[in-house]
Amino acid sequence: SQQGEEDPQALSIQEGENATMNCSYKTSINNLQWYRQNSGRGLVHLILIRSNEREKHSGRLRVTLDTSKKSSSLLITASRAADTASYFCATEYLNNTDKLIFGTGTRLQVFP
Amino acid sequence: GAGVSQSPSNKVTEKGKDVELRCDPISGHTALYWYRQSLGQGLEFLIYFQGNSAPDKSGLPSDRFSAERTGGSVSTLTIQRTQQEDSAVYLCASSLEAGTNTEAFFGQGTRLTVV
């Protein structure tokens, strides 16, 4: 399977703390994306990092990409209870179809 | 519409019956994906359409599953002779064009329950 893996599977923190989630993938990619899912329904795109980029910021989000290790991390700073959700990485693989493959996800719980 | 629309939102069906799930992508999006998500699990890739290219069906779990995309727009995922293990949320997503570093937009999914 091309599916990526994320760790930790679950993370519980207090409001104000930082949350770090990691994603590993298997083959060369065009880009890596992070998505958020509330309540097991539709996913919302958070941030996209291209294969030639190493770090990207968006508000309280910071994403890094290390193509030599085939890994990425998502950092949420100063977390809030509203950040409670599942977070997924997705990779657009370099192959003849460029399809988007998702990781296993991290369930984040932020306690007030 | 402004977003990806899926119907029905919920479907309960008897084991052995056929079901059709519909996805209306965002207008102009040439890439369309179907995924399956079991409770508390990640997204399992099923099938991917890109423009007029042959679809990538590599994720379909069995020959009971099929999908088509008519006119490069609406897509229908069909599951024949449903089994209880088919119960899951089926998610559809679309994007402008794969390989162009653009995000995917998701519908709210169809929750399928096979009883």
Side-chain angles (χ1 to χ4, degrees), chain A residues 4-112:
Chain A
E5 303 237 340
E6 293 178 63
D7 76 271
Q9 288 188 334
L11 179 62
S12 295
I13 59 175
Q14 295 291 131
E15 262 191 332
E17 294 181 338
N18 296 340
T20 299
M21 290 160 263
N22 303 296
C23 168
S24 61
Y25 57 92
K26 298 183 179 178
T27 62
S28 298
I29 60 173
N30 284 327
N31 62 67
L32 186 144
Q33 305 178 33
W34 285 89
Y35 288 79
R36 168 190 167 130
Q37 184 181 41
N38 288 15
S39 305
R41 286 295 189 131
L43 280 73
V44 175
H45 180 264
L46 295 176
I47 196 165
L48 180 152
I49 186 164
R50 301 181 185 201
S51 59
N52 62 352
E53 297 176 314
R54 292 297 167 258
E55 188 170 312
K56 205 160 182 180
H57 297 254
S58 176
R60 294 184 295 113
L61 305 180
R62 173 178 168 251
V63 168
T64 61
L65 178 64
D66 187 334
T67 53
S68 66
K69 295 181 179 177
K70 292 186 171 58
S71 67
S72 173
S73 67
L74 170 67
L75 169 67
I76 304 175
T77 60
S79 63
R80 306 166 182 168
D83 294 329
T84 295
S86 290
Y87 292 82
F88 294 88
C89 70
T91 45
E92 191 177 272
Y93 282 95
L94 268 179
N95 60 24
N96 61 354
T97 62
D98 295 317
K99 60 180 179 272
L100 196 61
I101 299 296
F102 281 78
T104 51
T106 294
R107 289 190 304 279
L108 174 66
Q109 175 82 50
V110 182
F111 292 99

Side-chain angles (χ1 to χ4, degrees), chain B:
Chain B
V4 177
S5 177
Q6 290 188 246
S7 61
S9 296
N10 291 282
K11 176 74 176 177
V12 179
T13 189
E14 291 181 353
K15 178 181 171 181
K17 295 283 180 71
D18 298 351
V19 295
E20 284 190 352
L21 313 180
R22 177 186 168 102
C23 173
D24 275 287
I26 293 173
S27 177
H29 280 192
T30 61
L32 187 148
Y33 307 83
W34 283 98
Y35 298 91
R36 178 169 72 173
Q37 186 177 33
S38 300
L39 189 62
Q41 302 298 309
L43 273 70
E44 176 188 5
F45 167 78
L46 296 178
I47 188 169
Y48 161 57
F49 297 89
Q50 173 57 64
N52 294 321
S53 302
D56 181 334
K57 304 178 181 180
S58 60
L60 295 178
S62 78
D63 58 8
R64 295 186 296 105
F65 288 72
S66 63
E68 62 177 23
R69 188 178 185 190
T70 53
S73 181
V74 171
S75 178
T76 303
L77 177 69
T78 301
I79 309 173
Q80 296 179 309
R81 305 181 302 282
T82 51
Q83 304 295 312
Q84 287 187 327
E85 61 262 30
D86 298 335
S87 296
V89 175
Y90 289 81
L91 292 162
C92 174
S94 70
S95 67
L96 273 173
E97 184 177 348
T100 59
N101 293 308
T102 56
E103 65 187 273
F105 293 82
F106 277 81
Q108 288 303 298
T110 294
R111 184 179 301 279
L112 176 67
T113 303
V114 182
V115 298

